[in-house]
Structures are given as structure tokens and as C-alpha cells.
Amino acid sequence: MPLWGARLAKALGVDEPWLLDLLLNQAAACMPGEPARAASVAIAAVQSVGPRDGVEAMRAVQMVATHAAAMKMLQRAALDQPSFEIYDSIVNRATKLLRTYTAQIEALKRYRSAGEQRVVVQHVTVTAEQVNPVPSPRGRGMSRNRRNNPMDPENPKLSRLNRAPRCLARNRRGTPCQSPAVKGRKRCHIHGGADGGGALPGNRNALKHGRYSAEAIAQRRAVAALLRACRDQLDSMRDL
């Protein structure tokens, strides 16, 4: 191998001369322009990637070819096209090539970092209280902050309204109501604690217009059955 060939093989990370010749020919064939200029541009482009072995050299050639094809598509898209469909097709091809080029760069990074080990050193400060925490005399771990909880029954600043018993009626969400109960009663003013509030005895609250009462539903069903019988009778008379 001549001296320039040895230098080129070292720069591209390829030891085999046949593989070096193949990759350079493939890269030069994908580059635009005159053959001599295309070969020089291809060598410079592959060398800029800095391949360190044959796999990285092949990956670099693929990246150079993909970049050249994407630029060719973008050059065609800049020209006047006979229709928008042709222009859109050229732009889509260029976009796919650019995405492929980005994926090739990520694959090259993963290949290069496969054998590397990463060590992360973090500084953690541990206090004496965290090593040996002082247990609470009540056996609940660390002491609770009652001052910031207005609903804690042991809060010294708890208001009279919060000391009142809770309604605990089931609300629409299915959870107990937390509103204070009316004085002298077990429910709040919404769930029957106010004067005149709450449900009336029986089912009289549902009797607004009687449309959904048992009598009205039975009457509508009877009318519907009578109408069906009349339609069946008319259909049988038409067949005669």
C-alpha cells in the first residue's frame, strides 16, 4: 500500500485496503460533480466523521450518501415544479432522508458509547436526626404540625366552627359531608338540619307532574299495545 493510502486508511480507521477502496468508491459515486472532485469531497466528508474502525467507516459512508441525497431533493424542491403533488412528494422524500441522517448520528453515538462506563458522583448530606430520629411519645413517628392544619382536633387555634361535629351525610361524590351540623341536630342545613329541610315522608318529593308514576307508565304501555294491535290488524287487511 502506498504512503498516501496508508495515511488515508489510518484517517478512516480501516486496515483492510480492499474495504477502504470499496468504501471510497461508494462514497464518491453518491457525491455530485466531476469524479475527481467527488472523490475528494467524499474523502473529506468521511474523514470529518472520524471513524475509528470498519463499522464506523461504513456508517460514515452511509451518512455522507444520505446527506448528499437529502440535499439533492431539497435542491429539486427549490425549482419550479409542474404541480403541487410533485413538489410535496419531493419534500417528503427530503424529510425522510433528513430523519434517516439524524437516526444514523444517534446510532453512531450509541455504538461509540457502548463500551464506555459512566460514573456519577453525588454529594449527600445526612444529619444526626435522620440517622437516629427521635420517636414521638405517642408512637406516631415524628411529631405532627398541628399549627398548620386547621382541621386537626388538637390544634390550639381551632375555631368553634371547626370544632362542631361534621354532618357525615353521603354527598353526590359518595363521600361523607364535612360541613358542620346544625346546632342540636346531626345534619347540616343542606342535608336536613335546617327547619323545613330534608326529604318529606314517603315518596311525595317525586310527585311533581306524575309522568313517571306507576299509573302513568302502565297507561302509556296499554296505549302502545293498543296501537300495535291496530297496526297489525291494518296490515292483515291489506293482504286480503
Side-chain angles (χ1 to χ4, degrees), residues 189-229:
H189 67 284
I190 297 178
H191 294 111
D195 295 335
L200 298 176
N203 195 25
R204 286 182 292 173
N205 285 345
L207 298 178
K208 295 182 179 179
H209 42 69
R211 177 177 176 81
Y212 299 103
S213 61
E215 294 80 3
I217 294 174
Q219 186 178 5
R220 288 197 297 272
R221 290 178 178 175
V223 173
L226 181 60
L227 291 175
R228 286 195 298 269

Side-chain angles (χ1 to χ4, degrees), residues 30 32 65-81 86-99:
C30 297
T66 304
H67 173 75
M71 294 299 103
K72 187 65 176 179
M73 290 294 104
L74 292 177
Q75 181 183 2
R76 291 184 180 180
L79 302 177
D80 294 335
Q81 301 298 332
I86 297 178
Y87 172 79
D88 186 65
S89 176
I90 296 175
V91 173
N92 288 336
R93 292 180 182 180
T95 304
K96 292 180 180 179
L97 289 170
L98 294 175
R99 291 177 180 174

Side-chain angles (χ1 to χ4, degrees), residues 106-128:
E106 297 297 331
L108 182 61
K109 289 181 179 179
R110 290 195 299 269
Y111 177 78
R112 287 181 174 178
S113 61
E116 298 179 358
Q117 295 182 357
R118 183 180 179 183
V119 179
V120 180
V121 180
Q122 296 182 354
H123 181 72
V124 180
T125 304
V126 180
T127 60

Side-chain angles (χ1 to χ4, degrees), residues 54-206:
V55 177
E56 292 188 5
M58 290 184 285
R59 177 66 66 183
V61 172
Q62 296 174 11
M63 293 170 58
V64 170
T66 304
H67 173 75
M71 294 299 103
K72 187 65 176 179
M73 290 294 104
L74 292 177
Q75 181 183 2
R76 291 184 180 180
L79 302 177
D80 294 335
Q81 301 298 332
S83 62
F84 178 77
E85 288 76 11
I86 297 178
Y87 172 79
D88 186 65
S89 176
I90 296 175
V91 173
N92 288 336
R93 292 180 182 180
T95 304
K96 292 180 180 179
L97 289 170
L98 294 175
R99 291 177 180 174
T100 304
Y101 181 77
T102 305
Q104 290 172 345
I105 294 177
E106 297 297 331
L108 182 61
K109 289 181 179 179
R110 290 195 299 269
Y111 177 78
R112 287 181 174 178
S113 61
E116 298 179 358
Q117 295 182 357
R118 183 180 179 183
V119 179
V120 180
V121 180
Q122 296 182 354
H123 181 72
V124 180
T125 304
V126 180
T127 60
E129 289 78 6
Q130 294 176 344
V131 176
N132 298 316
V134 180
S136 175
R138 301 181 61 182
R140 296 183 182 179
M142 301 301 293
S143 60
R144 296 184 301 172
N145 191 355
R146 304 184 182 90
R147 184 174 301 176
N148 296 332
N149 188 4
M151 297 300 296
D152 196 317
E154 299 182 9
N155 189 354
K157 296 184 179 181
L158 193 65
S159 62
R160 296 180 58 186
L161 182 63
N162 291 331
R163 290 196 186 99
R166 303 295 101 182
C167 173
L168 301 181
R170 185 177 180 180
N171 52 26
R172 294 181 180 179
R173 293 178 295 181
T175 58
C177 176
Q178 297 298 323
S179 299
V182 179
K183 185 177 180 180
R185 301 191 180 184
K186 297 182 179 180
R187 301 300 181 188
C188 64
H189 67 284
I190 297 178
H191 294 111
D195 295 335
L200 298 176
N203 195 25
R204 286 182 292 173
N205 285 345

